[in-house]
Amino acid sequence: VGMAYVARTVSRDKHSFGLSDFFETIKKNFKQGLLAGIINTVILFLITFSVWFYYTGKGTFAVIGLGISLAMLFVFTVINFYLWTLIITFKFTLKQAYKNSFKFVFINMLKNLLCLVVRILIIAVNVAIIFLSGRYWIFVLLIELLILTLTYPCFNALLIQYCTFPAIKKYIIDPYYKEHPEEDLEKRRSLGLEVETKPKKTETDGNTPETPEDESD
């Protein structure tokens, strides 16, 4: 949740205080974040075991089971593209966050696949570099691990935001504020969303409208 908040803020061209925002978001969403982490750990273990079990098996049943397991792994991975952003952005229950994340797997499939392919390619390129480094592979491996440790988590979080937030905005945020145009103006500004407000006009005795009030304050 901390990484999702900082990445969401930066991707929306808003200032982030980095570590302070990171830990403050964890503090605000600690219960939901911890429970989601536990649930994800259990699910990941079960899916990983399922993939390994069917991969080591033989016959048609094993092939079908492996295909289903890999499909479940894909869905679970993409769910986590959205889950943490939904937790920090909306007052969803954890069940609602998972449910909406599952829907976005299919609603935003093209960008989900693009995001996943880019992530896989980055890892594949780095692994290829290690294998092609010959007898210097240990040295190259250490450099690759250092670079990935310092850059990949942040790049990954930003990539996910750029691929997923437009869909979240289109299907959840925009429809709500279309019906409630005057609500949560500051929160919408903090998300980097355009806020259009209609100036209030007060009729005088001469039926001449007064100067519109500035609602940005």
Side-chain angles (χ1 to χ4, degrees):
V1 291
M3 181 66 80
Y5 180 84
V6 174
R8 188 197 70 183
T9 303
V10 174
S11 68
R12 304 304 300 165
D13 293 325
K14 294 295 181 178
H15 174 71
S16 172
F17 290 98
L19 286 177
S20 61
D21 285 346
F22 179 83
F23 288 111
E24 182 65 24
T25 305
I26 292 175
K27 183 179 179 180
K28 289 180 179 179
N29 301 276
F30 183 77
K31 290 183 179 180
Q32 276 195 326
L34 179 62
L35 184 55
I38 294 172
I39 292 173
N40 280 1
T41 301
V42 174
I43 293 176
L44 182 60
F45 171 79
L46 293 174
I47 294 177
T48 303
F49 176 80
S50 179
V51 170
W52 171 82
F53 177 81
Y54 288 113
Y55 179 77
T56 56
K58 296 181 180 180
T60 305
F61 179 76
V63 174
I64 295 174
L66 180 61
I68 294 174
S69 299
L70 290 175
M72 292 173 62
L73 181 61
F74 167 76
V75 171
F76 173 74
T77 301
V78 177
I79 281 175
N80 278 273
F81 289 176
Y82 296 89
L83 179 65
W84 309 104
T85 303
L86 295 183
I87 288 176
I88 64 172
T89 307
F90 307 102
K91 295 180 180 178
F92 284 157
T93 64
L94 198 55
K95 180 180 179 181
Q96 289 173 325
Y98 272 106
K99 181 179 179 180
N100 283 285
S101 298
F102 178 77
K103 290 179 180 178
F104 277 116
V105 173
F106 306 97
I107 291 174
N108 199 34
M109 179 64 77
L110 184 60
K111 286 191 175 180
N112 293 337
L113 289 171
L114 176 63
C115 182
L116 193 60
V117 168
V118 170
R119 293 176 65 188
I120 293 174
L121 282 177
I122 291 174
I123 299 298
V125 169
N126 282 275
V127 171
I129 291 173
I130 295 172
F131 275 101
L132 294 174
S133 59
R135 60 180 179 176
Y136 301 104
W137 71 272
I138 295 180
F139 178 70
V140 174
L141 174 62
L142 292 175
I143 295 177
E144 290 285 342
L145 289 176
L146 179 63
I147 293 174
L148 288 176
T149 301
L150 295 176
T151 63
Y152 184 72
C154 297
F155 171 80
N156 183 50
L158 285 172
L159 175 65
I160 288 173
Q161 289 297 324
Y162 283 120
C163 289
T164 62
F165 193 83
I168 294 174
K169 177 178 180 296
K170 179 180 179 180
Y171 292 103
I172 297 182
I173 297 176
D174 287 348
Y176 177 80
Y177 286 121
K178 186 176 182 180
E179 297 181 2
H180 307 82
E182 302 300 324
E183 289 190 15
D184 302 325
L185 299 184
E186 289 304 318
K187 186 172 183 180
R188 289 154 69 184
R189 292 188 181 101
S190 71
L191 290 173
L193 304 177
E194 294 182 4
V195 177
E196 296 181 2
T197 57
K198 296 181 180 179
K200 296 179 180 179
K201 295 182 180 181
T202 304
E203 297 294 329
T204 61
D205 293 336
N207 294 324
T208 302
E210 296 180 351
T211 302
E213 297 177 4
D214 184 1
E215 293 186 5
S216 63
D217 296 332

